[in-house]
Amino acid sequence: MRYTFIRPFVDAAQTVLEEVLFERTPVGEPQLSSKTLAGLGVATIVGITGEADGRLLINMTRESALGIAQAMNRGDCSELDALGQDTLAELTSMITGHAISTLNDVGHQLRVSPPTILIGENLTISGLEMETLVVPLQTTHGEVVVNIAVRTN
């Protein structure tokens, strides 16, 4: 895992969350993990292809997801219905778009898939056995955990 591919995703997550929530979003202690990921209730996943392969997974509780969706919609979201899910997909697209643009602007060739949203209790996310950097970010709506795994081709 090359740190030069990882850092832009962490920076983008912090920047985008701060912009859409209008608050400071501290970054917690990063950890490396190679285990199957346990979903916290709501997860969005984006695949990364091109010069490197991998995925970005943004993981949060249902309460945190709803709070963020409400904040982004100025309170017009009372549940994780189509509007709430579209809002979380847009948040994920904003984060990945920012990170991929940063990387491609310095000469890398990367592409991303559209976000997939998973909602449910006791989620386990596996299938991509790669070392993953797990980074928590604190918001007033709860913790948002960014999981990024990238390996160069």
Side-chain angles (χ1 to χ4, degrees), residues 24-82:
R24 189 172 167 279
T25 306
V27 176
E29 188 67 33
Q31 297 181 350
L32 284 176
S33 175
S34 58
K35 299 182 286 187
T36 299
L37 299 171
L40 299 174
V42 177
T44 58
I45 303 172
V46 172
I48 301 166
T49 61
E51 182 181 335
D53 291 324
R55 55 115 182 97
L56 170 73
L57 183 140
I58 299 175
N59 200 3
M60 64 193 88
T61 65
R62 188 179 192 89
E63 294 77 21
S64 296
L66 182 57
I68 290 168
Q70 287 173 334
M72 289 178 68
N73 287 293
R74 309 291 187 260
D76 290 341
C77 186
S78 61
E79 59 186 81
L80 289 177
D81 55 9

Side-chain angles (χ1 to χ4, degrees), residues 2 21 24 34 57 71-72 87 92 98-101 137 140 144:
R2 285 186 40 200
L21 298 177
R24 189 172 167 279
S34 58
L57 183 140
M72 289 178 68
T87 301
T92 303
H98 189 291
I100 292 296
S101 292
L137 292 101
T140 57
V144 175

Side-chain angles (χ1 to χ4, degrees), residues 9-10 13 56-59 133-137 144-148:
F9 287 94
V10 175
L56 170 73
L57 183 140
I58 299 175
N59 200 3
L133 186 68
V134 180
V135 183
L137 292 101
V144 175
V145 182
V146 174
N147 300 267
I148 179 73

Side-chain angles (χ1 to χ4, degrees), residues 108-125:
H108 297 293
Q109 300 293 315
L110 298 169
R111 294 174 304 284
V112 294
S113 68
T116 298
I117 298 177
L118 304 171
I119 299 174
E121 301 304 316
N122 302 316
L123 293 173
T124 56
I125 302 151

Side-chain angles (χ1 to χ4, degrees), residues 14-28:
Q14 182 180 29
T15 298
V16 170
L17 282 168
E18 288 180 348
E19 288 174 0
V20 301
L21 298 177
F22 302 102
E23 65 182 52
R24 189 172 167 279
T25 306
V27 176

